[in-house]
Amino acid sequence: MRPQPPSGTPAPVCGMSAGGCDGAADWPADVSDGSSLPAVELPRKRKGDMEERNSTDCKMEDDLSRSEEEDQQVKIKCFREPHRQIEKRRRDKMNNLIDELSAMIPACQPMVQKPDKLTVLRKAVQHLKALKVGTSSAFADSTNKPSILPQDDFRQLLLRAADGFMLVVSCDRAKILFISESVSKILNFSLLELTGQSLFDFIHPKDINKVKEQLSSWEYPQEHMIDAATGLQVQTDAPIKPTHLSSGAWRSFFCRMKYSRVAGKQEEKHQLPCTAKKKDTSRYCTLHCTGYMRSCPSSQLDSEGDAETPSLSCLVMLCRPLPHGSPEPPKHINAKPSAFVTRCAIDGKFTFVEQQATTVIGYLPQEVLGTSCYEYFHQDDLQHLAEKHRQVLRSKEKIETQCYKFKTKYGSYVSLQSQWFSFTNPWTKEVEFIVSSNRVMSRGPGHIKDEEAGRLKAMQEEIPIIPSLSNGVGTMIYAGSIGTQIANELIDSYRVNSSPSSGASSPFGSTNEKCPLVSPPISTSTAAIGASVGCTKVRHSQASSGGGAASSSSQPDSRTAAGASSATADSSGQVSQLDLDGMVVPALSSFSSDEAAMAVIMSLLETEVNVGQPGDYEDLHWPF
Amino acid sequence: MTADKEKRRAISREAARRRRRVESEVFEDLSRLLPLQQSVRDHLDKPSVIRLTLSYIRMHTLLTGKTGTKAEASHKVKCGQVTDGQMVRHEFNGGCGEEEEKEKYDADASEETNMYLRILEGFLMVLSTEGDMIYLSENVSKYMGLTQAELMGHNIFEFSHPCDHEELRNNLRVTAVWSGEKRDFVMRIKSALTHRGRSANLKSATWKVLHCQGRSKVCVAPSSVSCLLLTCQPLPLSHTLLSTQTFTSQHSMDMRFTYCDQRMTLLLGYSTEELLGRSIYDLCHTRDTNCLTKNHFNLCFKSQSVSGRYRMLVRGGGYVWVESHSAVIPNAHSSKSRPGANQPLCILCVTYVLRCVCGLWFKATFTVSTHFIELYLSK
């Protein structure tokens, strides 16, 4: 085997190495090349058992011939040093395992001294034997394939982990043929209530068609599969036969199923699907259903004599409720009607206004979209808000404003206080918009007129960027330009930062530091495809006007193309600053499967982008 | 003198050999008690035997142990008894003799388990709070290229991408109070599978992206075992059947649209031209910005992601709840002139519409137009 590269780092881009030792048989080969001995050590740090596992003579009987300390003396002397280390590591690992084992065995725990290895092992044997006594023979059944877990337990565990239930429905009438007991914890219905019923009785009325389609889609010609290589749909022009689909066709869809808040009230629930006395107040939870079509011999399934079709298609699925949040998305996320969320572009023009804002500001969302928020701010607040605006564009933190007045549709002002947060695109690292959470401070009848010229003049001196304001009318025209100007400052600073050399004077000092031109210690030999922050050029320079995707001029820098299937790589570890637009992968044609393509992509993106920079994304409010 | 020394050495060597022999015998006894196939058993080394023994004991504790919360108590699995997983039995129960029936049951049970695994399209993993892979379902070899026996007992941190370790550590924190709380994250693990799906050496392993979902589980008695129960699924997009409530879209790496299929137009009302160059963030409800950001991050650094639920604005008013499954793929549309050339990356999203249009009074921010488009939703 090739000795590992002396740098001791994991091997290259795609052929990620976990370190490699081939066991005792190959040691002589490595030893002959003395320089590689230390290198053999490092990558094997974590290999522990694996290295032994890989060796050819790791069987139990051969342990007798395995070297121990006393026997080392008979080996070649140049083995000794690294060999001792390897042995020590092996012993430590074994001791750790023995300790863990003794911790798990009740018989070992009350012991005063730490039991020795042999005792622990013997106790373990006894313990296993004792455990077996309590279990059924299915566990240790030698006729069948033995498994660590009994089959039933495994299925239970799986359903518990998946937090879902198994569902088998017949394709022709959506009769529930089987449903696992775990459904009772998810939907609060018992098996009795569900088995044999029609699935459609439990599906949200608006999803019934969707489910019908999934059950019997061979009737519908619009089947599409996606080809992940091209991202395009593959049209199936040929007529689809049921037999073709009844074996193994995959299904994945979402639907809403009824659930009961209180378990056990059978009669009521039984009536719900049939009678429609009152409005159906059932609650639904959204499930992700995945599974495949299967044909079952109908004679054993349907006792009602539905033996017209010789083989019945059914859909076998795992249904999992969506993981995030409550079963139903909350209707009103913000219970308080006096708070609302808005979003505006970096120049302050509204791009999103939540519906409940209308009760506060009087305007309908569509009336304010596209207008600058500065048009609604009172002059007294312009300076402070402009400052906050500048601040939020340059900060990753949430910025709190002071109380300010917002002009409503009716001319009066309402007192608000907001929390602003700028959103930075994870890929381009450019600020794209500002999210504002707004709270009403008071709804007092403040009718503050904006005709005080004296005030305007004072403002004029403090904020030189506002052109001279001669009369009240002109206020509105120029207020909007404040936002635009602040935005332009930002855009200019992006342009300035397009090359690292000019980074010194940039207000975005923090972002420049993240430019990974110096590769962090871990994987140096991999291609440094970093989402290099300040090193990208401004690609969307018309952020405020919301222009289309502009293709930037690509830097013809040297790029290390990732060799997909080759395990060897450029060990000199070319660190090159790549233009994001020009990030490349080898042509797909060299791959034989989607998975291979994915492997390449992953290997490209695996690199040291955020290694050493864990703090960057702390304030992105991830749920954990 | 030296002869004496030699003699002593010989004696001590003999003693050592005897000790090792005894030890090996105990190891053999132990391995024989483990429910493993003979072929697997033959290839186990000593540390592996201990690892597997530990796993066995831990799983046994987990399955039979009392749990911390009341809710969990009802899940208590009766070890070894036949429980509700009798789907296959219902289907195929014939009038067999008892022994035959038992054999048949075993075979059926095994088949049923296989079906469960097949439906899951992934494998089951039980992780201790330190990250030890206490248990892995047998089909893990399909995904990682290494067998259950080779992996069980090892630590997940040895097999996962270093950049994901932080996230992993956060997810592994389980306290007794929060038994049963959910987990949902994407991680990259080493896979020793070759392109053709054969198992290769770990040295030439590549990364595989897995979507891990599950919950924590805490057992209080007899011994405290806290762990995570997770299903680990790769995120394939290629064989997704698109229903009429599902559409695909393609984006540049900054999540601006480069393509969307006609279903999107039908479902949301936007034409492709309107969308090109627009950011997906503009198209979605502001309160879901965090959800989208996390999704975007997963795509940038792990190349695949499941978004969770978020709202997409409908042209003309209102929004729909959707969930997107996305992956980074090479952009097939460009550089056709040089077939062997390198291709830039783009993001492919498959988006499922979960609910019909909500909040029709709510105006889309995307187009500040005043007319409403009649939305055509599927049958």
Side-chain angles (χ1 to χ4, degrees):
Chain A
M1 289 303 296
R2 246 174 14 96
Q4 295 298 314
S7 58
T9 56
V13 181
C14 205
M16 178 233 62
S17 167
C21 147
D22 296 309
D26 287 317
W27 284 347
D30 285 342
V31 169
S32 61
D33 176 8
S35 63
S36 69
L37 265 177
V40 173
E41 293 293 298
L42 294 169
R44 277 168 38 183
K45 239 182 243 172
R46 286 190 172 276
K47 285 286 279 179
D49 307 341
M50 295 307 292
E51 70 202 22
E52 296 168 18
R53 174 74 188 83
N54 286 337
S55 76
T56 51
D57 53 324
C58 265
K59 300 191 181 179
M60 301 270 262
E61 311 81 55
D62 293 334
D63 283 350
L64 291 174
S65 61
R66 196 176 282 269
S67 55
E68 287 219 309
E69 268 213 303
E70 296 130 313
D71 292 313
Q72 271 184 6
Q73 288 159 20
V74 306
K75 295 241 174 187
I76 305 168
K77 276 199 177 168
C78 61
F79 267 119
R80 193 173 298 166
E81 276 316 306
H83 200 63
R84 265 187 211 269
Q85 284 178 31
I86 296 165
E87 275 301 314
K88 183 177 190 310
R89 248 206 312 278
R90 191 185 291 161
R91 271 200 312 278
D92 288 343
K93 186 98 193 200
M94 178 62 83
N95 290 337
N96 285 338
L97 285 172
I98 297 284
D99 287 343
E100 276 183 70
L101 192 57
S102 68
M104 288 304 299
I105 298 173
C108 290
Q109 273 155 24
M111 291 199 173
V112 179
Q113 316 172 355
K114 189 174 140 179
D116 70 293
K117 186 171 165 188
L118 212 52
T119 313
V120 174
L121 290 172
R122 287 208 173 105
K123 295 272 181 201
V125 171
Q126 287 171 13
H127 188 61
L128 283 194
K129 283 184 177 158
L131 290 183
K132 298 265 190 153
V133 168
T135 66
S136 79
S137 60
F139 208 160
D141 197 345
S142 54
T143 55
N144 263 332
K145 192 172 154 185
S147 54
I148 297 275
L149 280 188
Q151 305 280 7
D152 298 328
D153 290 339
F154 174 75
R155 287 194 294 271
Q156 288 268 345
L157 202 65
L158 195 153
L159 290 178
R160 185 89 194 104
D163 198 32
F165 57 91
M166 282 291 174
L167 178 61
V168 182
V169 291
S170 69
C171 287
D172 58 348
R173 289 187 306 183
K175 185 168 161 189
I176 297 176
L177 300 172
F178 170 81
I179 192 160
S180 68
E181 201 189 311
S182 44
V183 69
S184 55
K185 281 150 230 119
I186 296 167
L187 298 181
N188 273 327
F189 291 125
S190 74
L191 287 188
L192 280 174
E193 293 168 286
L194 291 166
T195 315
Q197 302 294 324
S198 169
L199 181 66
F200 293 136
D201 290 344
F202 295 91
I203 301 276
H204 192 286
K206 290 191 176 158
D207 290 341
I208 287 181
N209 282 332
K210 188 201 285 191
V211 175
K212 264 192 191 158
E213 179 192 55
Q214 296 291 327
L215 285 178
S216 53
S217 54
W218 52 265
E219 286 173 4
Y220 296 80
Q222 295 148 351
E223 282 214 299
H224 295 293
M225 312 284 270
I226 309 181
D227 179 3
T230 58
L232 299 174
Q233 293 162 26
V234 175
Q235 289 263 354
T236 48
D237 295 321
I240 298 143
K241 296 174 195 169
T243 49
H244 167 71
L245 283 176
S246 62
S247 53
W250 176 256
R251 294 287 182 266
S252 170
F253 60 95
F254 291 83
C255 69
R256 280 162 290 175
M257 273 189 84
K258 210 175 279 184
Y259 75 98
S260 163
R261 260 174 292 184
V262 183
K265 295 198 176 163
Q266 284 196 15
E267 297 105 45
E268 286 179 54
K269 285 198 290 279
H270 208 64
Q271 280 168 12
L272 268 174
C274 313
T275 61
K277 279 186 200 167
K278 325 180 209 180
K279 189 178 169 191
D280 188 5
T281 51
S282 316
R283 310 197 70 188
Y284 294 91
C285 74
T286 311
L287 301 172
H288 186 192
C289 304
T290 53
Y292 62 97
M293 305 286 257
R294 198 184 169 191
S295 56
C296 317
S298 66
S299 55
Q300 288 162 5
L301 280 167
D302 225 332
S303 51
E304 293 167 6
D306 258 281
E308 291 129 15
T309 49
S311 102
L312 185 69
S313 273
C314 58
L315 185 56
V316 186
M317 297 180 282
L318 171 65
C319 304
R320 312 168 81 148
L322 291 193
H324 301 293
S326 54
E328 282 213 324
K331 298 230 177 336
H332 297 288
I333 295 131
N334 198 345
K336 287 181 281 186
S338 60
F340 59 95
V341 161
T342 57
R343 178 171 71 203
C344 53
I346 58 174
D347 62 0
K349 295 212 176 85
F350 285 113
T351 56
F352 179 101
V353 176
E354 219 174 13
Q355 162 240 334
Q356 49 254 46
T358 308
T359 57
V360 177
I361 64 175
Y363 295 103
L364 288 174
Q366 54 264 42
E367 290 178 292
V368 301
L369 292 178
T371 61
S372 171
C373 57
Y374 285 94
E375 295 172 31
Y376 307 87
F377 296 157
H378 192 273
Q379 301 92 298
D380 296 350
D381 302 309
L382 282 177
Q383 183 188 9
H384 132 254
L385 289 170
E387 191 44 51
K388 293 290 180 191
H389 184 181
R390 262 203 208 89
Q391 211 182 328
V392 77
L393 289 179
R394 285 155 179 75
S395 166
K396 292 211 162 230
E397 307 288 322
K398 284 187 174 172
I399 305 289
E400 299 278 349
T401 68
Q402 297 162 23
C403 282
Y404 62 95
K405 296 182 206 49
F406 192 97
K407 193 170 189 184
T408 67
K409 188 173 184 178
Y410 317 109
S412 59
Y413 283 84
V414 65
S415 226
L416 298 178
Q417 190 270 330
S418 301
Q419 190 188 63
W420 288 351
F421 176 66
S422 66
F423 167 76
T424 309
N425 190 301
W427 188 258
T428 63
K429 307 283 189 183
E430 290 171 5
V431 179
E432 288 199 356
F433 53 82
I434 300 165
V435 176
S436 172
S437 306
N438 314 292
R439 280 191 309 147
V440 178
M441 296 309 284
S442 73
R443 286 176 183 265
H447 286 268
I448 303 163
K449 314 275 176 173
D450 50 338
E451 291 155 1
E452 294 148 354
R455 265 202 187 163
L456 294 177
K457 287 238 171 77
M459 295 294 286
Q460 198 178 321
E461 284 147 30
E462 289 160 31
I463 309 176
I465 59 165
I466 302 178
S468 57
L469 303 157
S470 51
N471 53 22
V473 176
T475 311
M476 281 314 174
I477 301 169
Y478 293 110
S481 69
I482 299 172
T484 316
Q485 208 142 357
I486 294 176
N488 286 336
E489 282 173 26
L490 182 77
I491 294 163
D492 288 343
S493 65
Y494 279 144
R495 276 205 208 97
V496 161
N497 282 347
S498 64
S499 58
S501 53
S502 57
S505 56
S506 143
F508 285 83
S510 58
T511 57
N512 261 343
E513 282 153 18
K514 296 173 208 144
C515 185
L517 283 182
V518 179
S519 41
I522 292 192
S523 36
T524 52
S525 55
T526 55
I529 304 169
S532 25
V533 182
C535 305
T536 58
K537 284 161 288 310
V538 175
R539 299 197 285 139
H540 306 286
S541 52
Q542 314 295 322
S544 54
S545 60
S551 57
S552 68
S553 53
S554 56
Q555 276 182 349
D557 278 345
S558 61
R559 310 179 191 116
T560 49
S565 42
S566 62
T568 61
D570 186 5
S571 59
S572 63
Q574 263 190 31
V575 175
S576 59
Q577 173 194 337
L578 296 179
D579 181 67
L580 287 172
D581 279 337
M583 187 168 318
V584 294
V585 297
L588 254 196
S589 54
S590 59
F591 299 135
S592 53
S593 69
D594 293 334
E595 205 142 292
M598 220 39 95
V600 173
I601 293 154
M602 275 181 262
S603 63
L604 286 174
L605 295 172
E606 73 165 39
T607 55
E608 63 275 3
V609 175
N610 58 351
V611 168
Q613 302 149 15
D616 294 354
Y617 311 114
E618 268 163 15
D619 50 346
L620 270 172
H621 319 290
W622 286 8
F624 38 83
Chain B
M1 279 298 157
T2 47
D4 209 16
K5 214 175 174 186
E6 278 297 324
K7 204 174 170 186
R8 266 192 296 219
R9 271 210 204 131
I11 291 171
S12 72
R13 248 202 307 266
E14 191 50 48
R17 282 215 188 92
R18 234 181 294 125
R19 275 202 308 274
R20 286 200 296 274
R21 212 175 293 128
V22 169
E23 193 182 280
S24 295
E25 277 168 14
V26 179
F27 268 104
E28 287 235 2
D29 288 343
L30 203 54
S31 78
R32 238 178 272 121
L33 287 169
L34 292 173
L36 297 166
Q37 285 179 307
Q38 195 61 36
S39 52
V40 175
R41 199 174 292 149
D42 288 342
H43 289 99
L44 291 178
D45 63 352
K46 286 179 183 173
S48 297
V49 173
I50 303 186
R51 275 190 294 117
L52 292 171
T53 307
L54 268 170
S55 284
Y56 182 94
I57 297 174
R58 275 166 154 167
M59 286 312 291
H60 191 270
T61 310
L62 201 71
L63 293 173
T64 58
K66 294 190 189 115
T67 56
T69 63
K70 227 177 173 184
E72 292 275 338
S74 59
H75 295 316
K76 191 169 150 188
V77 172
K78 300 168 193 88
C79 191
Q81 291 175 22
V82 171
T83 51
D84 70 298
Q86 294 180 43
M87 163 163 64
V88 175
R89 199 172 193 185
H90 283 152
E91 287 176 18
F92 297 106
N93 200 8
C96 306
E98 198 183 297
E99 208 183 281
E100 279 178 39
E101 192 171 301
K102 187 200 170 295
E103 261 185 38
K104 194 159 189 230
Y105 170 75
D106 286 338
D108 293 344
S110 171
E111 191 198 315
E112 192 176 331
T113 304
N114 287 337
M115 186 158 63
Y116 271 50
L117 285 174
R118 193 178 153 193
I119 295 171
L120 179 67
E121 281 255 318
F123 61 92
L124 189 63
M125 176 159 71
V126 181
L127 280 180
S128 75
T129 45
E130 281 85 46
D132 293 323
M133 297 184 282
I134 304 175
Y135 177 79
L136 294 163
S137 55
E138 274 181 280
N139 62 344
V140 66
S141 50
K142 257 178 66 183
Y143 302 96
M144 286 179 71
L146 298 167
T147 66
Q148 185 190 40
E150 285 173 310
L151 286 169
M152 258 172 58
H154 280 291
N155 197 287
I156 188 76
F157 289 106
E158 291 172 34
F159 291 90
S160 56
H161 197 288
C163 295
D164 296 336
H165 284 182
E166 178 83 29
E167 195 178 344
L168 207 48
R169 248 173 257 125
N170 286 330
N171 277 300
L172 283 173
R173 279 192 207 113
V174 177
T175 59
V177 185
W178 294 108
S179 182
E181 67 170 357
K182 305 226 184 178
R183 294 285 187 273
D184 189 301
F185 57 95
V186 173
M187 97 172 147
R188 287 162 284 181
I189 50 147
K190 294 179 191 174
S191 168
L193 291 175
T194 61
H195 302 319
R196 293 200 194 92
R198 291 203 210 112
S199 232
N201 206 312
L202 200 58
K203 270 195 290 290
S204 53
T206 55
W207 294 111
K208 200 179 189 89
V209 180
L210 292 180
H211 181 209
C212 303
Q213 295 171 282
R215 54 197 334 158
S216 62
K217 191 172 161 77
V218 177
C219 289
V220 175
S223 53
S224 174
V225 175
S226 295
C227 61
L228 290 189
L229 308 178
L230 296 171
T231 58
C232 304
Q233 298 161 292
L235 298 169
L237 295 178
S238 54
H239 58 266
T240 307
L241 173 71
L242 295 181
S243 70
T244 48
Q245 298 268 320
T246 311
F247 61 88
T248 62
S249 56
Q250 284 191 19
H251 308 256
S252 48
M253 290 303 291
D254 60 358
M255 287 304 275
R256 282 174 199 268
F257 281 89
T258 56
Y259 166 80
C260 71
D261 72 21
Q262 66 202 24
R263 274 186 243 241
M264 196 198 195
T265 311
L266 291 175
L267 288 167
L268 294 173
Y270 304 103
S271 66
T272 308
E273 296 76 38
E274 275 181 307
L275 288 178
L276 290 184
R278 297 285 190 172
S279 170
I280 199 169
Y281 294 98
D282 287 342
L283 192 56
C284 301
H285 200 289
T286 298
R287 286 188 190 269
D288 297 325
T289 303
N290 280 346
C291 167
L292 285 173
T293 308
K294 186 186 170 193
N295 190 51
H296 197 171
F297 262 100
N298 276 343
L299 285 170
C300 290
F301 302 121
K302 300 172 195 172
S303 81
Q304 284 183 296
S305 183
V306 175
S307 69
R309 200 169 28 201
Y310 64 99
R311 280 156 288 193
M312 248 191 192
L313 301 172
V314 176
R315 193 184 199 278
Y319 54 82
V320 286
W321 283 96
V322 301
E323 175 169 303
S324 292
H325 294 206
S326 324
V328 175
I329 61 167
N331 193 342
H333 295 297
S334 60
S335 53
K336 287 207 172 119
S337 52
R338 296 190 292 157
N342 296 323
Q343 293 159 306
L345 300 170
C346 71
I347 292 171
L348 170 66
C349 293
V350 175
T351 305
Y352 300 85
V353 176
L354 305 178
R355 290 164 76 90
C356 56
V357 181
C358 313
L360 267 169
W361 58 85
F362 181 69
K363 193 70 184 180
T365 62
F366 218 61
T367 51
V368 191
S369 62
T370 51
H371 66 273
F372 284 77
I373 294 180
E374 209 175 298
L375 295 165
Y376 175 72
L377 291 175
S378 74
K379 11 203 161 190

